[in-house]
Amino acid sequence: MTFWFLLLLGLATYLMVQRSVANITRTPVWLLWLVLMTPALLLSGWTLMYGVKQPPPPSLIIWPSLICLLLYWLLFQWGRRTPKDTQTEPQSPESQSAIHPIAEPVPVRPIEPTQETQLRNCFSWSVYYIQNIEYRPQAVICRGQLRTTPGKAYQQIKANIEAEFGDRFLVIFQEGLNGKPFFVLVPNTQAAKAGNSSKPEKLTRPGLALLLLVATLLTTTLVGAKTAGIDPTKLQSDPTIFLKGLPYALGLMTILGIHELGHYLTAKFYKIRSTLPYFIPMPFFLGTFGAFIQMRSPIPNRKALFDVSIAGPIAGFIATLPLLIWGLAHSEVVPVTEKTGLLNPDALNPKYSILLALLSKLALGSQLTAKSAIDLHPIAVAGFLGLIVTALNLMPVGQLDGGHIVHAMFGQRTAIIIGQISRLLLLLLSLVQPEFFVWAIILLFIPLIDEPALNDVTELNNGRDVLGLIAMALLVMIVLPLPQAIARLLQI
């Protein structure tokens, strides 16, 4: 079993490194892979020597992980490509030509040669001293030296370009891999569509949202009835027992709905065009595959990106807490058995999560001991799933909410590295808690690149940085198991 797990972990890690950093560093992929795999190899060696019943010492987990992460960072930086190799993030318009230089299409100039002087005049030397203009397919890249604050520069240059070219372009302000900010002008397709159409695009579809809401209520109620121990074969003789699944269904849908409403209302506050929340019904597993909204206009800046992204997890977590505490208080304490685990609602061991253990002790008090597990009430099942949804969304990877948050806090370059490290740490955690392995594999297929805001250079204020760190601390408290010292203190 250890061999096959190590083999899958090795393949997954290699794919992760190959897809994420091969294009932005000259350091061999195999060397980066070997550094990342060293902690797993050490733990596997310990298991082969001493068996699975003897846990490895904490120093064998902590120190190799820290040293290998530092070595990975140094090797990555040592082989990092210079601006001549690649000057922008992979999601920028010029990245296509950097990755596939042979197959580069014939450039299409979004502006006429005679208009270049007008464009240069939009860049005041006291705001952003322009040095050169590069033409890419459907984009104009303007490079130069920033002479004032990023926020002031973006507003001034954007106003100048709009005064000269109208709404013809979207003005994007990004930071390159060389640390220097640059402007990108891309055609404003939304304005073009609006000009060619007499009817505005319809975003909100209340009928579809209501239909999906009702369908999801039915599927989650069905799953909730099964969770409550109802035999599905008895539904035909007594349809009223179907209603016993409503507590689970209403609890879970409330958490998911409030999560998405947090995103939706914050997007409306920033005048970002977005759809209504849509639920995804599923007649098995949880009864739903979650809910989502779609944003149809660019995010103006990193402040808006942060607020829209963090609003969902915060709103969902606030809705989760009272439901989970009430559900835990009405759950039954059962003895620990071999079937006790993280994903068993009939015998859940709360010590698999720091936050869950604290809330369980708060709700159950002295009933919960070191030899106890919890048979979750349907409301507690919904609340526990709310914690999982919060943790999954807060993972600082790519286009998840947590990926948006670290992007807004630290910028795109640092967010890619944080996402890479987070995926590695979750893979390492899956060695201790195998329930996370599937989750870790899913994260490998989520791209690390996040779509930039229009002004992707201006940094956040200190208050938002602190709030982002609190959100990451919440993720850690949900995902990490309860330390033994705290467990003894709580007597669980």
Side-chain angles (χ1 to χ4, degrees):
M1 182 64 183
T2 302
F3 169 76
W4 290 109
F5 183 86
L6 190 64
L7 179 62
L8 288 174
L9 181 64
L11 290 174
T13 305
Y14 187 86
L15 290 174
M16 177 179 68
V17 177
Q18 177 69 33
R19 294 181 57 186
S20 302
V21 300
N23 292 320
I24 54 178
T25 182
R26 288 196 182 94
T27 305
V29 171
W30 67 266
L31 181 57
L32 294 173
W33 172 83
L34 183 60
V35 170
L36 292 181
M37 284 296 296
T38 298
L41 293 172
L42 291 175
L43 291 176
S44 299
W46 175 275
T47 302
L48 290 174
M49 291 176 62
Y50 300 100
V52 295
K53 293 184 178 180
Q54 183 173 351
S59 58
L60 188 64
I61 300 175
I62 297 174
W63 287 110
S65 299
L66 293 176
I67 293 172
C68 288
L69 287 176
L70 178 60
L71 182 58
Y72 175 87
W73 169 261
L74 292 174
L75 289 172
F76 173 83
Q77 292 292 339
W78 170 70
R80 196 169 195 168
R81 297 180 186 275
T82 62
K84 292 182 179 179
D85 298 317
T86 175
Q87 299 190 17
T88 62
E89 284 78 359
Q91 86 281 3
S92 64
E94 61 184 323
S95 63
Q96 298 177 0
S97 60
I99 298 174
H100 304 290
I102 298 177
E104 180 177 350
V106 178
V108 179
R109 295 172 66 102
I111 65 172
E112 299 294 331
T114 55
Q115 295 177 312
E116 183 172 314
T117 301
Q118 298 171 254
L119 178 59
R120 287 183 177 274
N121 291 336
C122 294
F123 294 85
S124 172
W125 68 270
S126 60
V127 176
Y128 188 87
Y129 178 68
I130 193 166
Q131 295 173 322
N132 67 299
I133 297 177
E134 302 173 16
Y135 294 96
R136 293 287 187 261
Q138 299 300 314
V140 180
I141 302 168
C142 305
R143 301 188 186 278
Q145 295 290 334
L146 182 65
R147 297 295 183 89
T148 184
T149 61
K152 181 180 178 181
Y154 179 76
Q155 292 299 329
Q156 184 63 56
I157 300 303
K158 180 174 179 289
N160 293 345
I161 291 175
E162 288 177 348
E164 190 66 45
F165 297 97
D167 60 357
R168 182 175 165 184
F169 296 106
L170 288 176
V171 182
I172 303 173
F173 196 29
Q174 285 185 260
E175 189 176 48
L177 291 179
N178 58 0
K180 294 183 178 180
F182 62 94
F183 284 88
V184 180
L185 277 64
V186 296
N188 190 348
T189 55
Q190 290 184 357
K193 290 180 180 179
N196 296 331
S197 176
S198 57
K199 295 182 180 180
E201 181 185 4
K202 187 177 181 180
L203 283 181
T204 58
R205 297 181 179 180
L208 177 61
L210 181 60
L211 178 63
L212 291 174
L213 176 67
V214 173
T216 305
L217 180 61
L218 291 175
T219 56
T220 51
T221 303
L222 177 62
V223 171
K226 295 178 181 177
T227 303
I230 303 301
D231 186 355
T233 59
K234 296 181 180 180
L235 288 175
Q236 293 182 350
S237 59
D238 186 10
T240 58
I241 63 175
F242 179 74
L243 299 179
K244 293 187 177 180
L246 274 178
Y248 166 84
L250 294 176
L252 182 59
M253 291 185 66
T254 297
I255 293 170
L256 296 176
I258 291 178
H259 177 111
E260 294 304 324
L261 278 176
H263 289 312
Y264 177 77
L265 295 176
T266 310
K268 297 291 285 185
F269 174 79
Y270 282 103
K271 299 180 180 180
I272 299 171
R273 301 170 71 245
S274 57
T275 65
L276 288 171
Y278 295 120
F279 283 87
I280 307 174
M282 186 171 56
F284 53 90
F285 191 42
L286 305 179
T288 177
F289 204 62
F292 69 96
I293 66 170
Q294 288 183 320
M295 287 182 285
R296 300 291 180 82
S297 59
I299 297 178
N301 48 52
R302 279 162 60 172
K303 173 185 172 183
L305 176 64
F306 179 89
D307 290 352
V308 172
S309 302
I310 205 170
I314 287 179
F317 180 69
I318 291 173
T320 296
L321 275 181
L323 292 174
L324 180 57
I325 293 173
W326 187 93
L328 287 170
H330 290 79
S331 300
E332 295 183 13
V333 176
V334 297
V336 173
T337 65
E338 293 181 356
K339 295 183 178 180
T340 300
L342 178 64
L343 301 179
N344 184 2
D346 297 327
L348 175 70
N349 188 342
K351 291 188 288 186
Y352 281 108
S353 165
I354 296 174
L355 183 60
L356 181 62
L358 295 176
L359 294 177
S360 299
K361 190 63 177 179
L362 174 66
L364 296 169
S366 59
Q367 298 180 60
L368 192 65
T369 66
K371 298 181 179 180
S372 300
I374 306 174
D375 184 1
L376 294 178
H377 185 278
I379 291 291
V381 175
F384 176 62
L385 292 176
L387 280 188
I388 293 178
V389 168
T390 299
L392 177 60
N393 280 281
L394 284 178
M395 276 290 171
V397 177
Q399 297 187 7
L400 295 176
D401 291 336
H404 294 317
I405 290 170
V406 295
H407 176 180
M409 292 173 63
F410 305 109
Q412 181 73 285
R413 294 183 302 160
T414 305
I416 292 175
I417 298 170
I418 292 175
Q420 184 78 292
I421 294 173
S422 299
R423 299 200 292 194
L424 167 66
L425 291 177
L426 192 61
L427 281 171
L428 292 176
L429 183 61
S430 66
L431 292 172
V432 182
Q433 294 185 194
E435 293 88 351
F436 288 120
F437 184 67
V438 175
W439 193 359
I441 294 300
I442 292 174
L443 288 185
L444 295 180
F445 294 94
I446 297 178
L448 292 175
I449 304 301
D450 186 20
E451 185 175 348
L454 293 180
N455 177 5
D456 209 49
V457 179
T458 302
E459 298 179 351
L460 302 179
N461 55 30
N462 292 335
R464 285 182 171 82
D465 285 335
V466 171
L467 183 58
L469 293 176
I470 292 174
M472 294 301 107
L474 175 62
L475 168 64
V476 171
M477 289 187 66
I478 295 174
V479 171
L480 289 187
L482 185 70
Q484 193 61 35
I486 302 179
R488 286 194 296 266
L489 183 65
L490 296 176
Q491 297 181 346
I492 58 176

